[in-house]
Amino acid sequence: MATVLMCRRLPRLSRVTAFSTAAKHKAKHGSSKSKKEKQDKPGAAKAGTELGATIQLLKPQDYRVLYNPAAYAKGRAGSQQHVGRDSSQALGDTSTGPGAAQAPQTFPSASSQALPPIRSALPKSKSNTLLEQTILATLYKEKVEKEKWEVHDSKEDPRMFQKGRPEYRSLSCDSTEPAQTLPAEEGDSILQSVAGCEGSPGILRDYFLKLSRLPAERRAALLSDPSFGALCHQAVTAIRLLSTPDLIQILKACVPLAVPASHPLLDACEAEFCRRAWDMGLEQLLLVADCWRCLDRSVPSYLGIVFSYANLHWKDLTLPQFVQLLYIIGEGRRSPADLAQKVESTILKHLDSFTLEELGAICLGLFKSLSGISDHVMRRIADRVSLQMEDMSTYALVNVLKMLRYTRMDHVPLMRELGKVIPARIPTTNIQGIMHITLTYSSLHFFDEDVLATVAASLPSKVPYCRSKDAAKFLWSFGCLDYEPPNEEEFYSSLIKQLHVKLHEFNKFPEHLLTALLGLAFVKRFPEELVDFALREEFVQKTRGSKYELSKDLFTLGKSIEIECPTYRGSCLPPQLCQEFTEMALSFAEREIYVRPEIVEATSLLESMLGGPEYVKNHMILPHTRSSDLEVCLATDGCPIPFNFKDPLAARKLKDMGVNLTDDLMSQLIQGSSQSPVEMGNEIPRQERGDAAATPRLGGALSAGAKSHLQPKAGQWQPQEVRMALQVSNRNHFCYGSKRLLGLHCLKRRQLRLLGYVVVEIPFWEWFPLLKRTRSEKLSYLHYKVFCPALLTRPG
């Protein structure tokens, strides 16, 4: 057997070994260094021991198989390509080195034709070629069935709701309708007779209908046939003579004929339909709109007329017409503002009559058109879906989740039912569907370990199908929820490799790279070559020209690697840019953060307790983490040290506030409150909604401060000082209804400790209920938090 010696340059990955919120996974899977050494695995374990060894010898480590999104969305035609791609994946690791921006290589559809790219990567050898053919043939048989569900037809799936009622047949252009195939000879006869045709409307209509029934390969050749061009020209010339039904039939025939969206015939048809629209019925208008959708032609003027017509005849809309209209609105990516109220009232009117697929289509239409919807209507939809979720297709369910995410709806029954239903479906859901499911959990800050673990287990084998957007949002979602799955090294290494594969896409979509790198930073992963690429001057300029506000993300990434990876030597943000971002963050904090009641109250009480404003500073120690800190400085003997001298009169000593520590208060501080859960739903803004009730826990030092063992950096401040960073948190800092910190806030606390601060938590479930209590109780609580002996005892 010929052995091939390959030399591979691995991407550098910095992994910070600071305090981890997923310690149990760390213990289970060992150190990050040992995990990193395991990340390259044979690609085809199921082929048997001997075959697996052979594949490992032949595996070209720097070879990658790219997924072509355009081919993937072509329905059945794409399934053959999937076989080729997956067959090659066992031979190639789909990983890429730093130079991932090189031209992509793709496989032809037939598995036996996948060999030329392999031969280009390996020395030519007859034995190798025969072995590759054997392996590819085996993998083809094993995976052809498995990959059928990966096919995602962007035109057919959104239209599944049309199968549920016969009324949709008159409203939509169904390209799957069975039609008797026309013999090719008859098609040739029609084309030959075009020259002598007088162009009467009936004959023109019949010619187009018959030609649309030709075999697919013959239809594909029509567009370049001069006779077909002459037929189209005759139709354009006679278009005013055609009746509306005949004109619609010709437009429908253009769909199977695959007439290009820019064809002159379609230009003439659009102009004529706009002219006739007000004389047509709503059924005809919707059918024509559906034809334009099938032809991938943008017709904003025509759709504007349809929406105006529907607005005037709203009371006449039937249920199928309403659903079809919302589908058209979504596909046109346009939301008519004057229809918003009518849409909501109609949804409520027919809510119990819609099929589950129709509910999915409604939500998708609203989501694509960015149409707002009231909480009441969205909650009613979610109520029904949560009760019938098992009977709903995954595609329709994902569409409901998109709208749930868009409206920020905290519908707990639906999310809990989703946690029961969706894990079993994830292995047979395409990659975009899984991405939207995962993104729903992170967007709503809803942590469900079973769902996330299932996603992580099924994802590595699907990663080659990820768009740059998908890979980025997977990384963001897991990082946002601060979750590292049991297969974390395989999970993260596969996605990081895909980022290298898609590196060329990030010049066009810079937001995706920053999204991915922030998600990785939240869980202490910094792929240095990707970070270097993101912080280069040319990439930074692209982010500044983006339609999204990316400066905060750049700032967070740049400062995070500076703090957590001291050995990093790649590109950095220029100082003037950091200063600009810092000023932006501080300006926002002064307007929106420092003035929050819970922070103002804590600041005022600490000033009173410690002796004045010079002992407390309400500011952002780390502006790139976008939240405030209450900084306090103590000597190791517990005496407050003044350090905030903005106030020229600040030179006062610590005052004795005379707080009365009653037995009842001490019992609450030491043992915790025994009261019933305190209702907090009315105390916080709507956007911070979480679990409506929580039991205040007033006793004990928090482990976040007690376990901190990192020393301050040399020379940063006096060795006898203890710098505290008090965190007055709110519900937006935690996963929904839990005490699990989100990724950004885990990152902040980790970096504060790296800089030598003792992090002291003042969590909302303790502090918010106390805001209603007496001043002495609040002072006693803060006194215990600041002067806790465990926090003042630091290693020498």
Side-chain angles (χ1 to χ4, degrees):
M1 179 186 299
T3 302
V4 181
L5 181 62
M6 305 294 294
C7 180
R8 182 188 185 194
R9 181 186 175 196
L10 290 170
R12 296 182 63 193
L13 175 65
S14 293
R15 183 69 198 274
V16 181
T17 55
F19 179 79
S20 173
T21 58
K24 61 180 181 180
H25 295 312
K26 297 290 181 190
K28 182 176 179 180
H29 296 280
S31 69
S32 59
K33 180 178 179 181
S34 63
K35 293 174 189 171
K36 185 175 179 181
E37 295 170 353
K38 300 177 187 176
Q39 73 180 30
D40 294 322
K41 300 180 180 179
K46 293 183 180 180
T49 306
E50 183 177 354
L51 181 59
T54 303
I55 293 174
Q56 190 172 14
L57 285 172
L58 288 172
K59 182 169 62 175
Q61 295 286 1
D62 281 327
Y63 185 76
R64 70 186 189 279
V65 183
L66 284 187
Y67 150 57
N68 182 349
Y72 185 59
K74 296 298 182 184
R76 295 180 183 176
S79 61
Q80 296 275 341
Q81 297 174 5
H82 290 300
V83 174
R85 282 193 297 269
D86 259 27
S87 299
S88 65
Q89 188 176 344
L91 296 175
D93 196 25
T94 74
S95 65
T96 177
Q102 63 188 16
Q105 302 180 39
T106 56
F107 286 152
S109 59
S111 61
S112 63
Q113 295 175 355
L115 294 175
I118 296 291
R119 286 199 294 267
S120 69
L122 295 173
K124 295 182 179 180
S125 168
K126 291 183 178 180
S127 60
N128 280 355
T129 301
L130 292 174
L131 181 58
E132 291 159 9
Q133 289 175 332
T134 303
I135 294 169
L136 290 171
T138 302
L139 292 175
Y140 175 87
K141 293 177 181 179
E142 290 178 348
K143 297 197 174 185
V144 65
E145 292 299 325
K146 177 182 176 183
E147 292 304 318
K148 282 183 179 178
W149 43 260
E150 276 288 4
V151 178
H152 176 77
D153 190 326
S154 62
K155 288 185 181 179
E156 293 303 325
D157 279 346
R159 304 159 69 84
M160 189 61 65
F161 70 94
Q162 295 172 349
K163 311 295 182 185
R165 299 180 192 268
E167 293 91 334
Y168 286 112
R169 298 191 66 177
S170 62
L171 301 172
S172 60
C173 179
D174 188 355
S175 59
T176 64
E177 286 181 354
Q180 185 177 358
T181 303
L182 189 76
E185 296 79 10
E186 190 171 343
D188 294 338
S189 175
I190 291 173
L191 293 174
Q192 291 172 6
S193 64
V194 168
C197 175
E198 298 179 357
S200 65
I203 293 177
L204 290 173
R205 177 203 62 206
D206 291 343
Y207 280 180
F208 274 97
L209 290 177
K210 288 179 179 180
L211 291 175
S212 70
R213 290 163 44 205
L214 284 171
E217 62 275 8
R218 186 67 185 93
R219 293 200 305 267
L222 277 179
L223 295 175
S224 58
D225 193 311
S227 297
F228 182 73
L231 179 63
C232 292
H233 178 71
Q234 288 185 14
V236 172
T237 303
I239 200 163
R240 291 288 181 97
L241 302 177
L242 291 164
S243 67
T244 298
D246 285 347
L247 187 57
I248 292 174
Q249 289 300 314
I250 290 177
L251 185 65
K252 285 186 68 175
C254 289
V255 175
L257 289 171
V259 176
S262 58
H263 198 281
L265 174 60
L266 298 187
D267 293 340
C269 286
E270 180 185 355
E272 187 63 18
F273 278 121
C274 286
R275 189 181 70 83
R276 300 186 188 191
W278 289 102
D279 297 323
M280 295 165 61
L282 186 58
E283 185 175 277
Q284 291 177 320
L285 290 171
L286 292 174
L287 174 56
V288 171
D290 198 59
C291 290
W292 292 130
R293 169 68 190 106
C294 292
L295 290 165
D296 284 330
R297 182 178 172 95
S298 176
V299 287
S301 297
Y302 177 79
L303 291 182
I305 297 172
V306 173
F307 300 153
S308 298
Y309 186 101
N311 194 15
L312 289 175
H313 299 83
W314 194 265
K315 292 182 180 179
D316 300 328
L317 256 67
T318 63
L319 185 151
Q321 288 174 345
F322 170 72
V323 179
Q324 182 70 13
L325 176 64
L326 279 187
Y327 165 73
I328 295 299
I329 288 174
E331 296 306 310
R333 305 300 198 274
R334 179 181 173 187
S335 176
D338 53 343
L339 295 183
Q341 189 58 46
K342 292 181 177 179
V343 167
E344 289 200 3
S345 61
T346 305
I347 291 175
L348 293 176
K349 176 183 176 182
H350 296 295
L351 184 60
D352 294 330
S353 301
F354 293 127
T355 66
L356 294 172
E357 298 303 311
E358 286 173 332
L359 276 180
I362 289 170
C363 287
L364 182 61
L366 294 171
F367 178 79
K368 285 186 173 182
S369 61
L370 300 179
S371 301
I373 187 173
S374 68
D375 282 1
H376 173 66
V377 174
M378 190 65 235
R379 193 169 293 279
R380 289 285 306 278
I381 293 174
D383 286 342
R384 185 177 169 199
V385 171
S386 64
L387 296 175
Q388 297 178 280
M389 190 178 295
E390 289 188 358
D391 301 324
M392 198 172 197
S393 73
T394 303
Y395 185 85
L397 179 56
V398 167
N399 291 336
V400 173
L401 296 181
K402 289 177 183 178
M403 202 59 198
L404 197 74
R405 187 176 82 228
Y406 181 73
T407 57
R408 306 290 298 175
M409 174 63 62
D410 56 341
H411 198 283
V412 177
L414 185 146
M415 296 302 294
R416 287 178 178 166
E417 186 65 18
L418 184 67
K420 299 175 184 176
V421 171
I422 208 63
R425 299 189 186 186
I426 284 175
T428 55
T429 302
N430 65 36
I431 199 71
Q432 284 79 31
I434 299 174
M435 181 272 287
H436 282 294
I437 292 168
T438 310
L439 189 60
T440 298
Y441 278 92
S442 65
S443 296
L444 300 179
H445 298 171
F446 203 97
F447 180 78
D448 189 316
E449 186 168 6
D450 290 340
V451 173
L452 295 176
T454 304
V455 169
S458 65
L459 194 62
S461 64
K462 299 173 183 281
V463 162
Y465 300 106
C466 281
R467 303 165 297 178
S468 58
K469 174 182 179 180
D470 301 324
K473 291 190 175 180
F474 277 122
L475 290 170
W476 168 264
S477 296
F478 277 71
C480 175
L481 296 172
D482 190 42
Y483 179 65
E484 296 178 278
N487 65 330
E488 58 179 289
E489 292 306 326
E490 179 189 23
F491 174 80
Y492 281 110
S493 64
S494 64
L495 285 169
I496 290 172
K497 289 174 184 177
Q498 187 69 358
L499 294 182
H500 280 276
V501 169
K502 298 294 183 181
L503 197 63
H504 59 283
E505 294 184 11
F506 296 128
N507 287 320
K508 184 176 181 181
F509 305 107
E511 64 274 9
H512 296 334
L513 181 58
L514 291 180
T515 296
L517 293 178
L518 278 183
L520 288 166
F522 292 162
V523 290
K524 305 183 291 296
R525 284 177 163 81
F526 296 87
E528 294 187 7
E529 291 176 359
L530 291 174
V531 173
D532 173 66
F533 180 84
L535 297 180
R536 291 176 189 170
E537 182 180 356
E538 56 269 27
F539 187 84
V540 171
Q541 291 303 316
K542 290 183 183 298
T543 65
R544 308 207 74 175
S546 171
K547 64 180 179 180
Y548 301 100
E549 175 51 60
L550 302 178
S551 57
K552 293 186 295 184
D553 295 343
L554 267 177
F555 189 33
T556 302
L557 177 64
K559 284 297 183 181
S560 292
I561 197 166
E562 179 182 314
I563 294 172
E564 301 204 43
C565 300
T567 60
Y568 171 73
R569 295 295 180 266
S571 302
C572 297
L573 292 177
Q576 63 271 20
L577 203 58
C578 289
Q579 181 61 31
E580 176 187 334
F581 293 159
T582 299
E583 291 174 358
M584 289 170 55
L586 294 177
S587 175
F588 173 79
E590 289 174 357
R591 296 192 315 269
E592 303 290 340
I593 299 178
Y594 300 157
V595 295
R596 289 177 178 170
E598 67 273 17
I599 295 177
V600 171
E601 180 74 356
T603 305
S604 174
L605 290 168
L606 285 170
E607 289 176 354
S608 299
M609 183 179 76
L610 298 176
E614 66 270 26
Y615 293 93
V616 183
K617 189 172 184 179
N618 177 12
H619 69 133
M620 290 196 292
I621 298 174
L622 301 174
H624 64 276
T625 60
R626 316 170 199 176
S627 57
S628 69
D629 309 88
L630 297 182
E631 186 175 357
V632 171
C633 184
L634 301 179
T636 52
D637 61 0
C639 293
I641 299 175
F643 66 96
N644 182 24
F645 295 109
K646 288 185 177 180
D647 183 354
L649 300 179
R652 292 166 285 177
K653 296 181 179 179
L654 178 64
K655 296 182 180 180
D656 182 5
M657 299 307 299
V659 177
N660 295 320
L661 298 177
T662 64
D663 292 340
D664 180 61
L665 180 58
M666 289 301 298
S667 176
Q668 291 184 42
L669 289 171
I670 296 171
Q671 299 177 7
S673 175
S674 60
Q675 296 178 358
S676 61
V678 177
E679 181 68 33
M680 294 187 288
N682 296 326
E683 300 176 30
I684 57 178
R686 173 186 177 278
Q687 63 270 24
E688 297 176 9
R689 279 189 307 225
D691 189 4
T695 304
R697 296 190 309 140
L698 304 179
L702 295 182
S703 59
K707 291 186 179 179
S708 179
H709 58 275
L710 297 171
Q711 294 294 324
K713 292 184 178 180
Q716 191 169 4
W717 50 67
Q718 295 299 322
Q720 299 304 312
E721 295 179 0
V722 177
R723 290 279 178 135
M724 293 184 176
L726 279 70
Q727 307 299 304
V728 183
S729 61
N730 59 56
R731 294 187 180 189
N732 277 344
H733 297 178
F734 296 84
C735 292
Y736 182 92
S738 77
K739 299 174 183 178
R740 181 187 186 91
L741 274 170
L742 295 172
L744 175 62
H745 303 285
C746 289
L747 173 142
K748 175 188 177 180
R749 286 151 175 77
R750 186 171 71 237
Q751 292 179 5
L752 284 171
R753 294 188 184 100
L754 284 171
L755 295 177
Y757 284 91
V758 175
V759 177
V760 180
E761 299 288 352
I762 303 181
F764 73 89
W765 59 85
E766 295 177 355
W767 183 238
F768 279 34
L770 273 174
L771 293 177
K772 294 183 176 181
R773 308 290 284 272
T774 64
R775 176 181 174 85
S776 62
E777 288 176 301
K778 289 181 280 191
L779 284 168
S780 297
Y781 172 81
L782 293 174
H783 187 277
Y784 180 82
K785 286 290 185 178
V786 172
F787 295 104
C788 176
L791 300 181
L792 296 175
T793 305
R794 298 167 56 88

